[in-house]
Amino acid sequence: MSRLIVASNRVADVSKAVQSGGLAVALADALSERRGVWFGWDGSVVSDEKPTGITITQHENIRTATVPLTQRDYDDYYVGFSNNVLWPSFHYRLDLGVIDARSIDGYRRVNQRFAQSVAALLEPDDLIWVHDYHLIPLAAELRALGVRQDVGFFLHIPFPPPDIFLAVPEAHWLARTMFSYDVIGFQTKADTQNFRRYVVEHADGEEIGEHQIAAFGRTTTVRPFPIGIDVDAFYQMAHTPKADEQIERLYRRSMASSQIVGVDRLDYTKGLPDRLRAFRRLLELYPENRKAVTLMQISPPTREDVAAYSDIRQELEGLSGAINGEFSDFDWTPVRYIHRALPRDTLAALFRGSQVGLVTPLRDGMNLVAKEYIAAQDADNPGVLVLSRFAGAAEELEEAILVNPYDTEEVAQSLQRALTMRKEERCERHKALMARIRKHDVTNWRESFLRALRGAGRANAAAQK
């Protein structure tokens, strides 16, 4: 069996994959089965003069290969181009992009250095799987070094429509580098179509069959691969004696009969201020919810050295304080705002103990919180998911209550509908949603991508002739 080489911006602690969630859960099994190597940044920032060699660590069958970033690389590649340009642009927020020629140069420089490190690790029959927007040009840099193995790329965030992508600095260069991959995976059909439209309309591309497209002298496979979760593992995490105790304590300490839960990184793409305004509107429109419903919003900090994030934190804290000041009583606090990360098993218990899951990003690649909320529920008395139409998960989770997160009135009315929904309807919706997240679980995502990647280079070359 071919080894699997994974490259991502950060390398997760594979010894704690279940607690880490996300990409660690998705990839740990595949890496273990295939004597895999996970390459990426180790999270440390060193002085520009310090050497940045690879550190190899072995954990059972998985090897991690990590490198630090210099302060210059961190400022230009990570904060600069990745998170001040690509992140806002790909989330349709061109107004928040910060254009700086140095950051573009830094993005290229770090991808070149990463490619040199990855190439040094390779064996002839390895499969290489590159992840996310930080490393878009990595395959092109690998090809320049003579790497000919099959290389796949998966974008975890949205891919914008052509008119937005055109506004990204070096957009044409980015698109050209993507054709060095043999397989390009997106979260949704909409993201896939946005990419194909750009290539055909602005890069003289040609669609070849259902999944292949040619441009820049190469043919590549382009498909949606919706990412999922380990449904059974998360369900079990939400149904332990410890989880039962946490839920009982939650009910005992609150006089509210219902809880709405939201869990999001503190990020302007998540629509957190809009969410709090919608909850305030719920209390205004339906006063019977006062002293009866609590919103628990958990928002761990992220990218605090990017200016837009400190702004969103101040706005969110101001809104939660204003709502509590207006509506709270001596024995009821309407908004419980937690600005720190909680253990994943605690989140699972909170999901199970909450009558409504509120997932309303303004734009999101997928949003696995929505799927985790579904997985955590009791089938005989489940909660209701209220989900943004602009989350990638909405393309699958049709039985959720889908909302426009920009429309405060609609979200408030949908929350009331969720809080008052009959048990029979809740059970029917949950059954259908569980079937959907099982169909597109993490194993399906991982194995379908790897099946597409094996031999993709030869298939694409044959299609091009």
Side-chain angles (χ1 to χ4, degrees):
M1 181 182 291
S2 301
R3 289 195 316 168
L4 176 63
I5 311 299
V6 169
S8 62
N9 176 61
R10 287 291 298 271
V11 174
D13 185 346
V14 293
S15 67
K16 301 177 181 177
V18 173
Q19 277 297 330
S20 300
L23 200 59
V25 172
L27 297 176
D29 286 347
L31 286 164
S32 180
E33 290 169 7
R34 294 170 172 81
R35 300 180 298 114
V37 180
W38 194 340
F39 171 85
W41 174 35
D42 64 8
S44 68
V45 178
V46 300
S47 67
D48 293 336
E49 296 77 25
K50 201 167 181 183
T52 54
I54 302 179
T55 298
I56 305 292
T57 304
Q58 189 76 34
H59 178 76
E60 297 180 354
N61 288 338
I62 303 174
R63 181 180 298 177
T64 60
T66 58
V67 295
L69 290 178
T70 67
Q71 187 63 55
R72 178 179 170 224
D73 288 345
Y74 176 81
D75 292 341
D76 295 346
Y77 150 80
Y78 181 71
V79 176
F81 197 71
S82 293
N83 290 314
N84 274 338
V85 177
L86 293 181
W87 178 269
S89 300
F90 279 41
H91 287 88
Y92 300 49
R93 292 299 305 271
L94 293 173
D95 57 311
L96 295 177
V98 179
I99 310 305
D100 183 346
R102 289 177 305 175
S103 72
I104 299 171
D105 292 341
Y107 184 74
R108 287 187 169 117
R109 181 178 67 249
V110 172
N111 271 274
Q112 287 171 354
R113 180 160 66 83
F114 279 11
Q116 292 167 357
S117 298
V118 171
L121 300 169
L122 295 179
E123 296 178 2
D125 62 345
D126 286 342
L127 286 177
I128 306 166
W129 193 0
V130 180
H131 289 266
D132 228 0
Y133 61 103
H134 313 83
L135 304 181
I136 290 173
L138 188 65
E141 300 297 343
L142 288 169
R143 301 302 187 200
L145 295 171
V147 171
R148 293 293 172 262
Q149 288 93 329
D150 288 334
V151 188
F153 175 75
F154 185 79
L155 184 67
H156 291 258
I157 65 174
F159 191 88
D163 55 346
I164 293 180
F165 185 63
L166 282 167
V168 176
E170 302 288 350
H172 198 67
W173 167 72
L174 284 170
R176 187 173 69 248
T177 66
M178 292 178 77
F179 274 78
S180 292
Y181 291 101
D182 298 295
V183 176
I184 303 171
F186 296 99
Q187 296 276 23
T188 67
K189 296 175 184 176
D191 294 331
T192 306
Q193 190 57 32
N194 284 341
F195 178 75
R196 294 175 78 100
R197 279 182 54 208
Y198 173 82
V199 172
V200 170
E201 296 171 12
H202 300 281
D204 297 322
E206 178 186 1
E207 294 183 314
I208 303 173
E210 184 180 3
H211 297 306
Q212 290 171 309
I213 189 166
F216 307 107
R218 280 183 57 91
T219 298
T220 189
T221 297
V222 180
R223 286 178 51 189
F225 296 90
I227 195 169
I229 64 170
D230 186 331
V231 178
D232 291 331
F234 201 83
Y235 175 87
Q236 291 165 9
M237 197 181 296
H239 290 77
T240 62
K242 180 182 176 182
D244 293 341
E245 181 184 330
Q246 289 173 319
I247 293 169
E248 183 181 347
R249 189 164 70 247
L250 179 71
Y251 291 156
R252 191 169 60 244
R253 292 184 177 182
S254 174
M255 73 165 292
S257 57
S258 297
Q259 177 168 281
I260 301 167
V261 67
V263 178
D264 311 83
R265 290 180 298 105
L266 191 64
D267 190 295
Y268 53 77
T269 65
K270 300 300 183 181
L272 298 175
D274 308 81
R275 185 178 306 178
L276 263 64
R277 293 187 192 100
F279 181 68
R280 168 189 265 162
R281 190 62 180 144
L282 172 75
L283 300 179
E284 292 171 347
L285 288 174
Y286 307 98
E288 65 269 26
N289 290 311
R290 299 175 191 178
K291 303 187 76 168
V293 178
T294 295
L295 169 64
M296 179 178 285
Q297 179 60 50
I298 301 163
S299 297
T302 179
R303 303 189 187 107
E304 292 183 298
D305 44 7
V306 178
Y309 292 91
S310 60
D311 294 341
I312 200 78
R313 177 179 177 178
Q314 290 179 11
E315 185 178 9
L316 195 60
E317 290 174 350
L319 275 169
S320 60
I323 294 169
N324 286 338
E326 182 178 354
F327 292 101
S328 64
D329 209 335
F330 72 93
D331 56 356
W332 173 65
T333 303
V335 177
R336 300 176 65 184
Y337 171 54
I338 300 174
H339 180 57
R340 57 184 168 81
L342 296 182
R344 202 155 174 262
D345 55 352
T346 300
L347 293 178
L350 289 174
F351 289 160
R352 179 182 160 208
S354 299
Q355 286 65 43
V356 179
L358 187 55
V359 181
T360 51
L362 304 179
R363 185 68 58 178
D364 216 337
M366 176 55 68
N367 197 297
L368 296 181
V369 167
K371 297 186 175 186
E372 289 175 342
Y373 178 80
I374 294 165
Q377 299 306 300
D378 291 309
D380 57 351
N381 189 25
V384 180
L385 176 64
V386 177
L387 176 64
S388 166
R389 297 180 183 278
F390 307 127
E395 195 168 275
E396 295 176 69
L397 305 182
E398 299 173 2
E399 289 78 15
I401 299 179
L402 301 181
V403 296
N404 173 6
Y406 296 93
D407 189 335
T408 300
E409 204 83 2
E410 181 188 345
V411 177
Q413 292 168 357
S414 296
L415 285 172
Q416 179 67 3
R417 180 184 171 194
L419 289 164
T420 58
M421 186 178 291
R422 292 182 303 106
K423 182 178 177 180
E424 292 77 12
E425 184 179 352
R426 286 189 281 117
C427 290
E428 185 178 338
R429 286 173 178 267
H430 178 257
K431 182 179 180 181
L433 289 168
M434 278 292 281
R436 291 184 185 278
I437 66 172
R438 285 191 183 281
K439 180 179 179 181
H440 293 292
D441 68 1
V442 67
T443 301
N444 175 270
W445 170 74
R446 181 183 65 230
E447 295 306 318
S448 61
F449 190 97
L450 292 176
R451 278 197 303 272
L453 182 56
R454 293 187 198 98
R458 291 189 298 275
N460 290 331
Q464 194 170 339
K465 292 178 181 177

PDB file of all heavy atoms in Angstrom, residues 445-457:
ATOM      1  N   TRP A 445     -15.688  10.617   3.230  1.00  0.00           N
ATOM      2  CA  TRP A 445     -14.944  11.756   2.672  1.00  0.00           C
ATOM      3  C   TRP A 445     -13.501  11.369   2.365  1.00  0.00           C
ATOM      4  O   TRP A 445     -13.012  11.588   1.259  1.00  0.00           O
ATOM      5  CB  TRP A 445     -14.974  12.913   3.673  1.00  0.00           C
ATOM      6  CG  TRP A 445     -14.059  14.045   3.330  1.00  0.00           C
ATOM      7  CD1 TRP A 445     -14.226  14.984   2.348  1.00  0.00           C
ATOM      8  CD2 TRP A 445     -12.800  14.355   3.961  1.00  0.00           C
ATOM      9  NE1 TRP A 445     -13.165  15.855   2.330  1.00  0.00           N
ATOM     10  CE2 TRP A 445     -12.277  15.495   3.309  1.00  0.00           C
ATOM     11  CE3 TRP A 445     -12.084  13.780   5.015  1.00  0.00           C
ATOM     12  CZ2 TRP A 445     -11.063  16.078   3.678  1.00  0.00           C
ATOM     13  CZ3 TRP A 445     -10.867  14.349   5.389  1.00  0.00           C
ATOM     14  CH2 TRP A 445     -10.373  15.486   4.724  1.00  0.00           C
ATOM     15  N   ARG A 446     -12.859  10.770   3.346  1.00  0.00           N
ATOM     16  CA  ARG A 446     -11.444  10.439   3.210  1.00  0.00           C
ATOM     17  C   ARG A 446     -11.217   9.396   2.116  1.00  0.00           C
ATOM     18  O   ARG A 446     -10.372   9.573   1.230  1.00  0.00           O
ATOM     19  CB  ARG A 446     -10.935   9.914   4.553  1.00  0.00           C
ATOM     20  CG  ARG A 446      -9.468   9.548   4.572  1.00  0.00           C
ATOM     21  CD  ARG A 446      -9.108   8.981   5.933  1.00  0.00           C
ATOM     22  NE  ARG A 446      -9.785   7.720   6.205  1.00  0.00           N
ATOM     23  CZ  ARG A 446     -10.466   7.443   7.320  1.00  0.00           C
ATOM     24  NH1 ARG A 446     -10.581   8.344   8.275  1.00  0.00           N
ATOM     25  NH2 ARG A 446     -11.039   6.265   7.474  1.00  0.00           N
ATOM     26  N   GLU A 447     -11.994   8.305   2.158  1.00  0.00           N
ATOM     27  CA  GLU A 447     -11.754   7.211   1.222  1.00  0.00           C
ATOM     28  C   GLU A 447     -12.163   7.578  -0.202  1.00  0.00           C
ATOM     29  O   GLU A 447     -11.526   7.143  -1.166  1.00  0.00           O
ATOM     30  CB  GLU A 447     -12.480   5.950   1.690  1.00  0.00           C
ATOM     31  CG  GLU A 447     -11.940   5.398   3.004  1.00  0.00           C
ATOM     32  CD  GLU A 447     -10.434   5.161   2.975  1.00  0.00           C
ATOM     33  OE1 GLU A 447      -9.932   4.640   1.952  1.00  0.00           O
ATOM     34  OE2 GLU A 447      -9.764   5.513   3.959  1.00  0.00           O
ATOM     35  N   SER A 448     -13.229   8.362  -0.365  1.00  0.00           N
ATOM     36  CA  SER A 448     -13.626   8.756  -1.720  1.00  0.00           C
ATOM     37  C   SER A 448     -12.577   9.666  -2.347  1.00  0.00           C
ATOM     38  O   SER A 448     -12.286   9.562  -3.549  1.00  0.00           O
ATOM     39  CB  SER A 448     -15.001   9.433  -1.710  1.00  0.00           C
ATOM     40  OG  SER A 448     -14.991  10.615  -0.932  1.00  0.00           O
ATOM     41  N   PHE A 449     -11.970  10.537  -1.541  1.00  0.00           N
ATOM     42  CA  PHE A 449     -10.911  11.392  -2.087  1.00  0.00           C
ATOM     43  C   PHE A 449      -9.695  10.555  -2.474  1.00  0.00           C
ATOM     44  O   PHE A 449      -9.132  10.731  -3.569  1.00  0.00           O
ATOM     45  CB  PHE A 449     -10.506  12.480  -1.087  1.00  0.00           C
ATOM     46  CG  PHE A 449      -9.604  13.522  -1.698  1.00  0.00           C
ATOM     47  CD1 PHE A 449     -10.124  14.716  -2.175  1.00  0.00           C
ATOM     48  CD2 PHE A 449      -8.236  13.302  -1.809  1.00  0.00           C
ATOM     49  CE1 PHE A 449      -9.291  15.663  -2.762  1.00  0.00           C
ATOM     50  CE2 PHE A 449      -7.397  14.234  -2.399  1.00  0.00           C
ATOM     51  CZ  PHE A 449      -7.936  15.430  -2.871  1.00  0.00           C
ATOM     52  N   LEU A 450      -9.271   9.669  -1.596  1.00  0.00           N
ATOM     53  CA  LEU A 450      -8.084   8.868  -1.889  1.00  0.00           C
ATOM     54  C   LEU A 450      -8.308   7.928  -3.072  1.00  0.00           C
ATOM     55  O   LEU A 450      -7.387   7.688  -3.864  1.00  0.00           O
ATOM     56  CB  LEU A 450      -7.657   8.096  -0.642  1.00  0.00           C
ATOM     57  CG  LEU A 450      -7.127   8.959   0.511  1.00  0.00           C
ATOM     58  CD1 LEU A 450      -6.832   8.104   1.736  1.00  0.00           C
ATOM     59  CD2 LEU A 450      -5.891   9.746   0.087  1.00  0.00           C
ATOM     60  N   ARG A 451      -9.522   7.413  -3.233  1.00  0.00           N
ATOM     61  CA  ARG A 451      -9.832   6.589  -4.414  1.00  0.00           C
ATOM     62  C   ARG A 451      -9.683   7.418  -5.679  1.00  0.00           C
ATOM     63  O   ARG A 451      -9.153   6.954  -6.688  1.00  0.00           O
ATOM     64  CB  ARG A 451     -11.252   6.025  -4.322  1.00  0.00           C
ATOM     65  CG  ARG A 451     -11.390   4.781  -3.482  1.00  0.00           C
ATOM     66  CD  ARG A 451     -12.707   4.058  -3.757  1.00  0.00           C
ATOM     67  NE  ARG A 451     -13.861   4.914  -3.537  1.00  0.00           N
ATOM     68  CZ  ARG A 451     -14.476   5.054  -2.365  1.00  0.00           C
ATOM     69  NH1 ARG A 451     -14.041   4.406  -1.298  1.00  0.00           N
ATOM     70  NH2 ARG A 451     -15.532   5.846  -2.257  1.00  0.00           N
ATOM     71  N   ALA A 452     -10.178   8.658  -5.634  1.00  0.00           N
ATOM     72  CA  ALA A 452     -10.080   9.523  -6.804  1.00  0.00           C
ATOM     73  C   ALA A 452      -8.625   9.878  -7.113  1.00  0.00           C
ATOM     74  O   ALA A 452      -8.250  10.049  -8.281  1.00  0.00           O
ATOM     75  CB  ALA A 452     -10.900  10.795  -6.574  1.00  0.00           C
ATOM     76  N   LEU A 453      -7.806   9.974  -6.053  1.00  0.00           N
ATOM     77  CA  LEU A 453      -6.414  10.399  -6.246  1.00  0.00           C
ATOM     78  C   LEU A 453      -5.527   9.302  -6.812  1.00  0.00           C
ATOM     79  O   LEU A 453      -4.630   9.593  -7.609  1.00  0.00           O
ATOM     80  CB  LEU A 453      -5.854  10.891  -4.902  1.00  0.00           C
ATOM     81  CG  LEU A 453      -4.416  11.428  -4.903  1.00  0.00           C
ATOM     82  CD1 LEU A 453      -4.260  12.567  -5.905  1.00  0.00           C
ATOM     83  CD2 LEU A 453      -4.028  11.884  -3.495  1.00  0.00           C
ATOM     84  N   ARG A 454      -5.780   8.043  -6.428  1.00  0.00           N
ATOM     85  CA  ARG A 454      -4.927   6.956  -6.905  1.00  0.00           C
ATOM     86  C   ARG A 454      -5.005   6.834  -8.432  1.00  0.00           C
ATOM     87  O   ARG A 454      -6.073   6.586  -8.996  1.00  0.00           O
ATOM     88  CB  ARG A 454      -5.349   5.626  -6.274  1.00  0.00           C
ATOM     89  CG  ARG A 454      -5.107   5.542  -4.784  1.00  0.00           C
ATOM     90  CD  ARG A 454      -5.382   4.146  -4.248  1.00  0.00           C
ATOM     91  NE  ARG A 454      -5.549   4.169  -2.815  1.00  0.00           N
ATOM     92  CZ  ARG A 454      -6.724   4.197  -2.178  1.00  0.00           C
ATOM     93  NH1 ARG A 454      -7.841   4.182  -2.879  1.00  0.00           N
ATOM     94  NH2 ARG A 454      -6.780   4.231  -0.861  1.00  0.00           N
ATOM     95  N   GLY A 455      -3.918   7.045  -9.090  1.00  0.00           N
ATOM     96  CA  GLY A 455      -3.883   6.927 -10.542  1.00  0.00           C
ATOM     97  C   GLY A 455      -4.493   8.087 -11.284  1.00  0.00           C
ATOM     98  O   GLY A 455      -4.638   8.040 -12.518  1.00  0.00           O
ATOM     99  N   ALA A 456      -4.862   9.165 -10.571  1.00  0.00           N
ATOM    100  CA  ALA A 456      -5.526  10.298 -11.226  1.00  0.00           C
ATOM    101  C   ALA A 456      -4.617  10.967 -12.245  1.00  0.00           C
ATOM    102  O   ALA A 456      -5.087  11.440 -13.292  1.00  0.00           O
ATOM    103  CB  ALA A 456      -5.978  11.319 -10.179  1.00  0.00           C
ATOM    104  N   GLY A 457      -3.313  11.028 -11.964  1.00  0.00           N
ATOM    105  CA  GLY A 457      -2.401  11.668 -12.902  1.00  0.00           C
ATOM    106  C   GLY A 457      -2.419  10.996 -14.257  1.00  0.00           C
ATOM    107  O   GLY A 457      -2.475  11.656 -15.307  1.00  0.00           O
TER     108      GLY A 457
END
